[in-house]
Amino acid sequence: MSDDRSTDESAVQPDGGHASRPLAEPTSKQSTLRRFFTRDDLPPYGALRRWLLTTNHKDVGVLYVVTALLFLVFGGVLALLMRIELLTPVGDFLSADGYNQTVSTHGLIMVFWFLSPFAFGFANYIVPLQIGAKDLAFPRLNALSYWLYLFSGILLGLSFFQGGSFSGGWTMYAPLSVPNYMPQIGSTTTILALTLFVISVTVSSVNFLTTMHRMRAPGLTLRRMPLFTWSILLTVWMMLFAFAALLAALLILSSDRILGTTYFTAEGTPGSLLWTHLFWFFGHPEVYIVFFPALGAMAEMFQTFTGRRLVGRKWFIVSMLLVALQSFLVWMHHMFLTSINLQIKTLFMITTIGISLPFDLMVFSLIYTMVKGRLRFTTPFLFAFGSLFVFIIGGITGVFLGAVVLDYQLRGTYWVVAHFHYVMVSGVMALVGALYYWYPKLTGRMYNRRLGKLSFWLFFAGFNLLYFPMFIAWETPRRVFDYPAELTGFHQLATVGGFLLGFAFLLVIWNCYRSLWDGETVSSNPWAHATTAEWAIPSPPPLENFPGMPSYESGSLDFLDRETASTDGGTVTKPTPSSHDGHDSHASPWPLGISIGSFVLFLGLSGVATGGIYVPITIVGGGLLAVTLLGFGLESFSVTEPAVAERWPFAGIENGKLGVWIFLASDIVLFGAFVGSYVFLRAGYGWEAWKIVPHNPIPGLINTYILLTSSFCVVLALVAAQKGRRWGVVAGLTTTLLLGIAFLINKGIEWIELFHHNIWLSTDVQASTFFLTTGLHGLHVVLGLVIVLYMIPRALNGAYLDDERPVEYFGLYWHFVDIVWLFLFPLFYIL
């Protein structure tokens, strides 16, 4: 066994420079604004412009990690406020509402704004390196996802200054979350902040899935992918579908708060049960979404610091795949206390036990890897080993909650709090280990080893001192500050542990910050047994990552001359360094601009129902968003796809088309959740007793013909583009625009007629479901028409004659919108 100094410290120390050229200085005649937005190349690291304009995956990864740590401090301060309150069994520090706000926002920040973004900071930085890509498939979308994430968190922080933040728990159970019980504007702001965060996640998911499926180095099949990349791939697939369900729930809840719909408050319908289904269909996969990246990082560290390949690697991957699939089949075990019948509860108890079995296999795989390897107790490995230890405790205690009878006794107690944190914070422990593990790669410097090990022992001791007493004091009720006086000692121990854990986190942050300046410089691979591709290049990596085209076709990593690599899937046999073919763009101001516009718009929407200053804020935000989206569309931004890559199972689909398909897959879940909500509420109300809102099905039938005809016109435009007929393209797109406008006019006339009969969104649940679901579809139509308005002037200039793909991509979206209407028409007009 050895310590951190057993690593290869005698290797050549690179200068750690970045292969980017500084911007040419603008002339004196250029305006300050133009100088700021000049983006031929990335500014140097020390320039503020670089971090505001960058789209490079490594920079975005660093921004994610740093921002997530800041939100960790935010959420950690809230946690310590809770622990101070719980020093005594009576409320004597925070008010009742203040405590509820603290508990709720602490949970939201840690689950959404810290855990996943912290993991995806590493994913942004490391995954393209591990798969041999120059960047992610859509660099501007990558930057957009970060800025939306940042501004969503700022929006959450502002909620405290709008009469109070959300106070209904991080699960946001209805009807407590509707204005009847929580009228403050800050509660609406919190919901909108989470909505903005989900949009960020969706953008990121499309980007990562396209990249990992279409831009892997030749020879890097899915079976050969590193375990961390595998964990991210499965995580992102879960995110794509789970967060779409959450987005549907948040849109409905926002509508209840802003527009006055009655999804969760209508009498005679199971509205509160509807929220529980929607939330936990997202909520249980979210547990694995949070933990999987930590599991992948843990596997990488176990391999590196035991000096051997993971035992049962193939079955480890199969287990992760099984968990990812099963994660969507166990959500109702969070609902054992609801009115669901016992047979259904028993079925979900069985699926809960079933999903624990693949985890058993993964745990044994990690343990046997340690048994068969030579352990090196470096700081990263200590955190990874500690994570495995506490995760086992969390998993075992979770089995109790999988049993219906025990769940009745334990659900509302601190047993759940302790179990949940033993699972989730075990993931945090592994990710802190990942921070130490990849820190030399990110910075070119080594962390302070003594402080690293001290931070682990403080972390491990503080964690267990904080959470283990909660198992003993399990009779403490959740989410309240009153508890039996005889449990005071356990809660005081937990509070001491909380402050110790907080100090450990600060020590980690201080170690990383201080080591940037005085840490020893390191070689490209400071770990003796690290074998993944990121360790084969300098630390930190150059701008476009690799000296040539990475290839695994020989069985190991080679760098081939890009100019001589064939485009038919073959590669040359002579590995020679080469510069990259083409010049990719790495900076854009529009992701930041779009995010600012979205932030202002959502801030205005939070209080638009109350009028006042929020109305002009909404208008300004909408205008700013429209301008920045236009700038994004008009910007010339160069991204080259690799000529040769592993692309199974999407070899025949280019990046853009695959991105559209992935987005539409998410949109299917979104509309499926809306349609499912309608069916669920109607079935609970009584299918035959339900009142059909439209007085006449004819307007809906007319709109069906309009949309079908418009889809045909898009096909004609695509055919014209393929044949090089400019006016055919213009005619097809223009007719689509006119038909889409006709659809909206017809829909508007129908709505006005309903308004004249005093049928509004807030009239009853039947009207709420009709207006909101068809309104969401109408919003998709509007977005499609905005795209057409953008495309028609370009078509007049012959933009799509040499490359018809944009017309095809738009067609995919438009056909999807039409297909959705084919489901909505019979549901809301006929059945």
Side-chain angles (χ1 to χ4, degrees), residues 226-295:
L227 289 170
F228 179 69
T229 297
W230 253 113
S231 71
I232 296 299
L233 178 65
L234 295 175
T235 298
V236 177
W237 273 116
M238 287 189 288
M239 287 167 60
L240 184 75
F241 300 119
F243 275 93
L246 178 61
L247 180 59
L250 292 171
L251 290 176
I252 293 171
L253 182 56
S254 299
S255 175
D256 272 16
R257 295 190 62 90
I258 299 172
L259 301 177
T261 53
T262 58
Y263 271 78
F264 302 122
T265 57
E267 295 183 4
T269 63
S272 59
L273 194 60
L274 170 64
W275 171 266
T276 313
H277 278 293
L278 289 173
F279 182 85
W280 285 116
F281 186 79
F282 148 80
H284 198 80
E286 170 67 2
V287 174
Y288 308 115
I289 287 169
V290 167
F291 188 73
F292 261 32
L295 185 65

Side-chain angles (χ1 to χ4, degrees), residues 64-113:
Y64 262 110
V65 169
V66 172
T67 305
L69 289 174
L70 292 176
F71 281 118
L72 166 66
V73 174
F74 186 6
V77 169
L78 295 173
L80 294 179
L81 291 176
M82 292 159 48
R83 291 313 319 170
I84 293 173
E85 177 61 74
L86 293 170
L87 278 170
T88 60
V90 294
D92 54 6
F93 180 65
L94 297 172
S95 66
D97 189 59
Y99 185 82
N100 289 338
Q101 291 182 46
T102 302
V103 171
S104 304
T105 51
H106 162 75
L108 290 169
I109 289 169
M110 289 306 199
V111 172
F112 294 105
W113 279 274

Side-chain angles (χ1 to χ4, degrees), residues 6-45:
S6 68
T7 59
D8 184 9
E9 296 179 1
S10 61
V12 178
Q13 299 174 355
D15 59 11
H18 205 285
S20 64
R21 299 191 302 274
L23 283 174
E25 287 298 322
T27 66
S28 59
K29 294 182 179 180
Q30 289 178 304
S31 68
T32 302
L33 186 62
R34 172 152 184 179
R35 289 200 304 270
F36 185 84
F37 286 134
T38 301
R39 55 156 202 83
D40 293 334
D41 274 306
L42 272 179
Y45 274 119

